[in-house]
Amino acid sequence: MSDHLHFNLFTMNSVEHVSPGSWTIPGDQSHRYTDREYWTDVARTAERGGFDAIFFADVRGIYDVYDDDRDPAIQRAIQTPSNMPQALVPAMAEVTDDIGFAVTRSTSYVHPYQLARELSTLDHVTDGRIAFNVVTSYLESAAENLGMGDRMEHDERYDRADEFMDVCYRLWEDSWEDDAIVRDAESETYTDPENVHAIDYEGEYFTVPGPHGCEPSPQRSPVIYQAGSSDRGRRFAATNAEGVFVSQPTKEATRDYIEDMRERVGDRGRDPDSLKFFPGIVVITGETDEVAREKHETYKEHISVEGTLSLLSGFIDMDFSELEPDQKVEHIETDAIRGTINAFTKNDPDREWTVEEVAQFAGLGTTSPVIVGGPETVADELEAWQEEVGVDGFNLKEVTRPGSLRDFVDYVVPVLRERGLIREEYEGETLRENMFERRGLPDGHPGADS
Ligand SMILES: Cc1cc2nc3c(=O)[nH]c(=O)nc-3n(C[C@H](O)[C@H](O)[C@H](O)COP(=O)(O)O)c2cc1C
């Protein structure tokens, strides 16, 4: 197994993603998210840097929890406007050969039969370079817009997600046999019906007779990512995920998370090492430490406090406008992203956070660590994460676009390559081969065993 680090670019088909206010930084090109060439350039740059994938976040709904109003978020382009990530994939695949595409799709608002078809199609069109970041969604406004009334309760969203994944695995893995397509003109047989099977799925949320409408794509099941951090979210990830996107602000918290997850994965009869861990990370870099520090200062000046609080209010489902800036943030039970609030209230019991401090910290990448320095400094720190924490790679969060990616690839990647910490060449043909050196889902995974 390769021991180099794996990198994804964590981005979104929108103006702002996780660094509110960054569109005001001189030279930032986030407004070009509607421009196909912006994305094809991003894909080429990330592939030049040996990245595993472009990892697209996606949400439905508007961030309207802050001040009980959507205007503060709309004004500052907080994840709205945004377009669908999956529509960008064919254009980006066309100009690249190896880099993968992780698309976030919600199990709460689509039907698994439809989504299985969408992802099989994307896997075909990219020659096996697709990952599915499974989310359960957290914005109430999304449920309302889709005519689904109240958003489902937190744990129930995961119950539905469990079933959703079972349906998908059955469609991707069991419905069509490898030799179903025969293309024999003489017998007028394109497909041997004997080798195409119904799945006859009957569950609490879904009834799907099947068969799958698509022939098997190169990976069959896309690589499965997940990012939930609550107890229920971890249970889901331990069952389904091949990669988890960790959102903890410190090494200690990330180490604890990895230890807990490896134990859970082992309890499910899977190899604990078959799960890869990707903390989110912000890297601010340049030719030297000094240049990087200057950039950091500039970026901090552009943080939008209101924008950040609007974003966090949506993540946490708690209205930050009701708190004073110097008020301490306390742990609350929430129905949205539980991990976000825990990042501030639970991980370091000795540290108390005020609302203003949370906004300043979260303004650059939300709950992820920020590394500031020249190429050697950044490489040292990333290597320390690998050695001390046991991470497999990182989801690189952007501040400026496409500056954060370009700086990383131009300054840090050459040093990581000298140290053997990023690939020189892609190892396999599919995303899963490049990440795990195997074609299909791992043993013990419910998809492999279905
Ligand atoms: C780092 C991270 C990234 C996430 N990205 C998205 C996203 O792009 N879209 C989305 O709808 N949910 C996203 N989520 C939400 C989760 O998938 C999940 O639905 C939510 O965190 C609730 O589960 P939890 O309480 O177990 O964390 C993300 C969560 C985390 C922690």
Side-chain angles (χ1 to χ4, degrees), residues 93-112:
E94 182 66 22
V95 299
T96 53
D97 296 317
D98 298 294
I99 195 163
F101 307 97
V103 290
T104 294
R105 300 293 274 118
S106 170
T107 55
S108 297
Y109 302 131
V110 293
H111 192 283

Side-chain angles (χ1 to χ4, degrees), residues 57-58 104 135-138 154 158 227-230 233 245 247 336-338:
D58 192 31
T104 294
V135 300
T136 52
S137 296
Y138 49 87
H154 179 275
Y158 278 112
S229 50
S230 63
F245 180 7
S247 190
I337 304 184
R338 293 191 180 166

